[in-house]
Amino acid sequence: MQRRYTGLTAAVAALSMAATLAGCGAGEGAGEVTLKLVAADYGSNDANGSQGYWDGLARSFEKTHPGITVDVDVMSWKDVDREVAEMVRKGEAPDLAQIGAYADHAAEDRLYKADELLPIPTQANFLPLLARAGQVGRSQYGLPFAASTRLLFYNKGLFEKAGAKPPKTWDEIRTAAGKLKDEGVKFPFALPLGSEESQAETMMWMLAGGGGYRDVSNISYDIDSAENVATFTWLKNNLVGKGLTGPVAPAELDRQEAFDAFAQGDVGMLNGHPTLMDAAEKAGVDVGMVPLPSPDGEGRPSMGVADWMMAFKQNGHRKEIGEFLTYVYEDKNVLAFSDRYDILPVTSTATATMRDDPRHRALWPFLEELPTSELYPVGHTSWAKVSESVKRNIGKAVAPGGDPEAVLAGIARDAKDAEADE
């Protein structure tokens, strides 16, 4: 892939730069400009927080782009989307935001399009799956910034002690969890359906069960489909109901709490993403990973996740924003961020480099899942409301006395109402 892009060399680069400069408009952004960037924090503590990454990148950019200063404010994932929305509401939008959702801002015509900001080679270098996911009405507003997929993580030491084998089917999950419970493992299978990120855990199980949030045509939501009802009925009866998910009710268990418990050696298995791998291994856990099991052991699409960069039009710094983003998406910077946080790169050339580098061998299984994965329906403005309904309600589906069909039907009604407002 790298050779295909470098083969374009000077001619395409010159044409694309000319097109970019022409599109930016003469005189726009002249003089000293300060770009305001609000970004999400990928670090697990102060020592590896994202502020350090962005400050280093900004200072490096400024050395070769006199007249442009980049001011970065990093916020926690729990706050960053809400804080950016509040800035916009006050008429104080940042120039750039690296957050979780872009569709609402695109629908209100607040954002620049990708082709207004980036030279052609940079646009073309985004992985096709992610570029399509960043579109609203066939125009790309969301620039993918980081990606990940999901695998089933298991504690090799606990599995060996319990005489369990890595599962390929749901029945094998239940069998292994039973053996882990008999050995006194605190969380045989950690099932985080709490408010932090239960929309992700929900989607993983839906996809494994042959369903999903949207119907096969991707025209509308299909949350209470027969497949989804069967999936959560199985979870309720076979994992939660048999006491195989640990002492904390799934509705009260957040993702980070489950990840921390895995790193402490208290979890037999759970669905996880690449950042858990490094944290667990540093804590001394011998980590195993397999594709997410399905009812019959056949392969199913994994859940893919992308986080987004977007550029607001309010301050009119299109030229300077474009220059900074072109720098952000250079391979050296994409790979530096991926290395720092065990995140998958979002460009074709950086992905090819990672595939060819044995240092990244641990991430190769996640890379293999990405091309066929399914992402949240982030291009629909309704998704934010649907996601919130899932977070509030899905834990009830597997609670004692819970009715999975009724809970999913309630979320489906919320989805229908949200769609009507699009």
Side-chain angles (χ1 to χ4, degrees):
M1 290 184 180
Q2 180 70 51
R3 288 191 295 272
R4 180 172 61 188
Y5 282 100
T6 56
L8 296 174
T9 47
V12 170
L15 287 171
S16 62
M17 185 58 69
T20 302
L21 294 175
C24 290
E28 187 181 52
E32 297 289 332
V33 169
T34 296
L35 298 179
K36 173 69 174 179
L37 165 64
V38 177
D41 193 356
Y42 289 77
S44 57
N45 53 57
D46 291 341
N48 70 347
S50 297
Q51 189 74 51
Y53 169 82
W54 282 112
D55 286 345
L57 184 69
R59 302 298 83 78
S60 176
F61 169 79
E62 290 164 0
K63 288 179 181 178
T64 55
H65 295 77
I68 306 176
T69 301
V70 183
D71 179 19
V72 185
D73 189 4
V74 171
M75 302 180 183
S76 75
W77 271 111
K78 287 190 174 182
D79 300 325
V80 68
D81 284 84
R82 174 175 45 80
E83 290 292 335
V84 170
E86 181 65 12
M87 293 176 190
V88 171
R89 188 189 67 79
K90 291 180 178 179
E92 301 170 355
D95 297 284
L96 292 153
Q98 187 272 298
I99 54 178
Y102 65 86
D104 284 352
H105 300 301
E108 296 296 326
D109 195 29
R110 299 169 184 147
L111 304 180
Y112 288 119
K113 299 176 184 178
D115 60 9
E116 295 177 300
L117 299 167
L118 301 174
I120 293 169
T122 303
Q123 293 181 61
N125 201 17
F126 290 125
L127 293 171
L129 171 75
L130 303 180
R132 289 193 298 270
Q135 294 178 355
V136 174
R138 298 189 178 183
S139 293
Q140 185 179 355
Y141 294 91
L143 311 180
F145 179 75
S148 66
T149 53
R150 302 295 190 263
L151 295 173
L152 179 75
F153 284 60
Y154 65 96
N155 183 314
K156 288 183 177 180
L158 296 179
F159 264 62
E160 183 177 352
K161 184 178 179 182
K165 66 177 184 178
K168 294 182 180 180
T169 69
W170 286 2
D171 284 344
E172 290 176 355
I173 287 179
R174 179 181 57 197
T175 299
K179 292 181 177 181
L180 292 161
K181 181 182 179 182
D182 291 344
E183 285 294 325
V185 175
K186 187 174 181 180
F187 293 91
F189 194 106
L191 185 67
L193 295 177
S195 62
E196 182 184 3
E197 205 186 28
S198 56
Q199 81 282 3
E201 188 74 15
T202 297
M203 185 172 176
M204 284 181 256
W205 283 99
M206 285 179 169
L207 290 173
Y213 283 121
R214 307 281 291 184
D215 61 23
V216 293
S217 64
N218 199 35
I219 294 175
S220 60
Y221 291 98
D222 195 18
I223 291 171
D224 57 345
S225 68
E227 293 83 359
N228 292 341
V229 171
T231 292
F232 278 87
T233 300
W234 187 90
L235 286 171
K236 179 179 183 292
N237 295 338
N238 291 276
L239 289 187
V240 182
K242 294 185 182 299
L244 300 178
T245 54
V248 181
E252 304 300 323
L253 184 66
D254 281 342
R255 182 200 65 177
Q256 192 59 53
E257 183 181 356
F259 280 16
D260 290 345
F262 185 83
Q264 293 161 8
D266 291 333
V267 174
M269 51 185 157
L270 80 173
N271 296 329
H273 57 59
T275 57
L276 175 60
M277 179 177 58
D278 185 57
E281 289 176 348
K282 285 180 178 177
V285 175
D286 191 3
V287 179
M289 297 178 292
V290 294
L292 302 185
S294 64
D296 56 8
E298 294 297 318
R300 298 283 193 277
S302 175
M303 186 188 78
V305 174
D307 302 324
W308 303 96
M309 180 75 75
M310 61 212 69
F312 288 88
K313 297 191 289 187
Q314 179 180 314
N315 300 320
H317 296 148
R318 180 169 58 167
K319 176 179 180 294
E320 293 81 6
I321 291 171
E323 290 180 13
F324 179 63
L325 288 178
T326 301
Y327 186 75
V328 166
Y329 286 107
E330 289 182 7
D331 277 2
K332 64 179 181 180
N333 298 320
V334 172
L335 287 167
F337 190 85
S338 296
D339 285 343
R340 190 178 182 114
Y341 297 111
D342 286 326
I343 292 290
L344 303 184
V346 298
T347 64
S348 296
T349 51
T351 297
T353 298
M354 182 173 281
R355 286 183 189 278
D356 292 338
D357 189 343
R359 292 180 304 163
H360 298 293
R361 188 181 302 276
L363 287 174
W364 290 352
F366 296 95
L367 284 174
E368 292 300 319
E369 296 286 332
L370 187 57
T372 58
S373 66
E374 292 193 20
L375 279 68
Y376 297 133
V378 290
H380 298 268
T381 57
S382 57
W383 170 239
K385 294 179 181 178
V386 175
S387 176
E388 285 303 313
S389 180
V390 172
K391 291 178 183 179
R392 288 195 310 270
N393 296 300
I394 196 62
K396 303 171 188 174
V398 299
D403 183 342
E405 185 172 11
V407 171
L408 290 169
I411 298 172
R413 287 192 293 273
D414 289 342
K416 185 176 181 180
D417 291 343
E419 276 189 308
D421 293 335
E422 282 189 315

